[in-house]
Amino acid sequence: MNVTRTPAGLSNEHIFHSSEAVVYVEGGESSRTTVPDASTDVLFWRGLFDKFVVGHRFHFKPRCGKQTLLALADGIADGTISAVIVCLDRDHDHLRGLLRATRVLYTCGYSWENDVWSADVVAEAFYSVCGVDRTSVMVRTPVSAAFAQFAKRMRWPVYADVLAALCNDSVIPGGNLKCITPAGGGWPSIDSRFLFDCVRMARMRTAGVALRLPEGATVELWRDICGHVLSYFCYRMLADLLKRHSGQNISRYLADAVAIRVSQELMLPDVLRHHQAQFTRLNDR
């Protein structure tokens, strides 16, 4: 019998791992998988636990998609499940209200990618894997210029995407990466025409629906952009720089892992405040 199928089983699972709690994150193949696949989400959340919850032992477990974890989070919130922590991508859930429970943690931005990737992280990730002299090979200027172009061309589509989320739609379905050109490789750029078509199609699908942000809600580009789009754009920059200066390739999984490690010291102020606050509540539980 799978002990994790009942509230009692879930609450006692940490004993089998000699840990204080089991930390469930997104990723992995299936809720029925005996040994789940490794998940980049584990790298991200484990790094935060190591940073903010020092001296405690947790067992990290990727468990498929968000709906699986939301069911666990409901059990945590109503008190039927203990010794379990659930870590979730925020997505656009803040528009309708996040689940408030001490042992339910959210990313600050749309997903963990938003909390990790920035221009500083791209540059530092490059230097951490490429043995070049920093003063001779300066990459921050082209990276900053690429981020500026990204912001200019993505600002309105991201705002439209947040509005579309109010009626369970999206401007860039599933984080479609066709908005990043050229396809396949090379220094990335944002395809404004593709995005214009995406916005136009979304408007057609939501025709006649009055879409307004909830009172007090705002849209912030780097926080609310689909994380897959942001991380792929940054990966493309890192991969191109590495290929150009060392002739080496890097997988997207490894690029994300390097960025997660680097971001622990380069966390943006609003991201740092967000995680400090929720981990403080967790420590005080």
Side-chain angles (χ1 to χ4, degrees):
M1 182 181 72
N2 187 343
V3 297
T4 64
R5 292 189 179 186
T6 66
L10 286 162
S11 299
N12 289 304
E13 186 184 8
H14 69 105
I15 298 171
F16 296 95
H17 302 293
S18 301
S19 63
E20 296 179 35
V22 176
V23 181
Y24 283 94
V25 305
E26 297 183 48
E29 196 171 295
S30 165
S31 61
R32 294 187 175 87
T33 304
T34 303
V35 182
D37 290 343
S39 167
T40 309
D41 295 68
V42 169
L43 293 178
F44 171 73
W45 287 106
R46 188 176 65 199
L48 291 178
F49 274 78
D50 289 345
K51 184 180 182 71
F52 294 114
V53 194
V54 180
H56 297 268
R57 182 181 175 86
F58 300 96
H59 179 77
F60 292 84
K61 203 166 187 178
R63 265 299 180 262
C64 202
K66 190 170 186 177
Q67 293 308 310
T68 301
L69 296 190
L70 284 173
L72 293 178
D74 286 339
I76 291 172
D78 66 21
T80 59
I81 296 175
S82 61
V84 170
I85 299 169
V86 167
C87 300
L88 298 162
D89 286 342
R90 190 212 65 187
D91 299 324
H92 290 315
D93 296 355
H94 64 300
L95 298 175
R96 297 180 178 84
L98 301 177
L99 185 61
R100 300 297 181 184
T102 301
R103 288 181 287 114
V104 178
L105 310 182
Y106 285 93
T107 57
C108 176
Y110 183 94
S111 64
W112 67 261
E113 290 95 332
N114 304 67
D115 290 6
V116 165
W117 285 105
S118 67
D120 285 339
V121 167
V122 172
E124 191 58 36
F126 167 73
Y127 291 123
S128 71
V129 296
C130 188
V132 295
D133 179 67
R134 289 173 180 262
T135 59
S136 301
V137 180
M138 294 180 286
V139 302
R140 189 60 167 79
T141 297
V143 169
S144 294
F147 264 79
Q149 186 221 52
F150 185 99
K152 182 178 180 180
R153 297 185 179 180
M154 291 296 296
R155 194 169 305 280
W156 168 238
V158 169
Y159 187 85
D161 190 58
V162 173
L163 288 177
L166 294 170
C167 53
N168 298 314
D169 200 351
S170 62
V171 168
I172 309 175
N176 192 316
L177 301 177
K178 290 181 180 179
C179 63
I180 298 174
T181 60
W187 191 256
S189 181
I190 296 299
D191 187 341
S192 295
R193 179 170 296 183
F194 176 82
L195 290 172
F196 176 82
D197 288 340
C198 288
V199 172
R200 180 175 55 83
M201 294 300 294
R203 279 177 169 173
M204 292 173 61
R205 292 192 301 270
T206 58
V209 180
L211 298 176
R212 294 185 180 84
L213 290 176
E215 185 176 353
T218 60
V219 177
E220 200 281 312
L221 173 68
W222 304 113
R223 182 191 65 198
D224 296 320
I225 176 73
C226 174
H228 290 310
V229 174
L230 175 60
S231 67
Y232 184 60
F233 186 82
C234 293
Y235 162 69
R236 288 280 297 272
M237 281 190 285
L238 177 59
D240 186 74
L241 289 168
L242 188 60
K243 186 71 173 178
R244 193 186 315 165
H245 293 287
S246 72
Q248 301 300 310
N249 297 316
I250 187 170
S251 70
R252 191 171 175 189
Y253 178 85
L254 181 56
D256 281 339
V258 172
I260 287 170
R261 177 172 55 80
V262 168
S263 71
Q264 295 297 311
E265 301 303 323
L266 296 175
M267 201 171 289
L268 295 173
D270 58 332
V271 177
L272 180 60
R273 285 192 296 270
H274 169 84
H275 289 299
Q276 282 177 329
Q278 64 179 356
F279 276 97
T280 296
R281 291 191 293 271
L282 184 63
N283 280 318
D284 292 342
R285 69 193 189 281

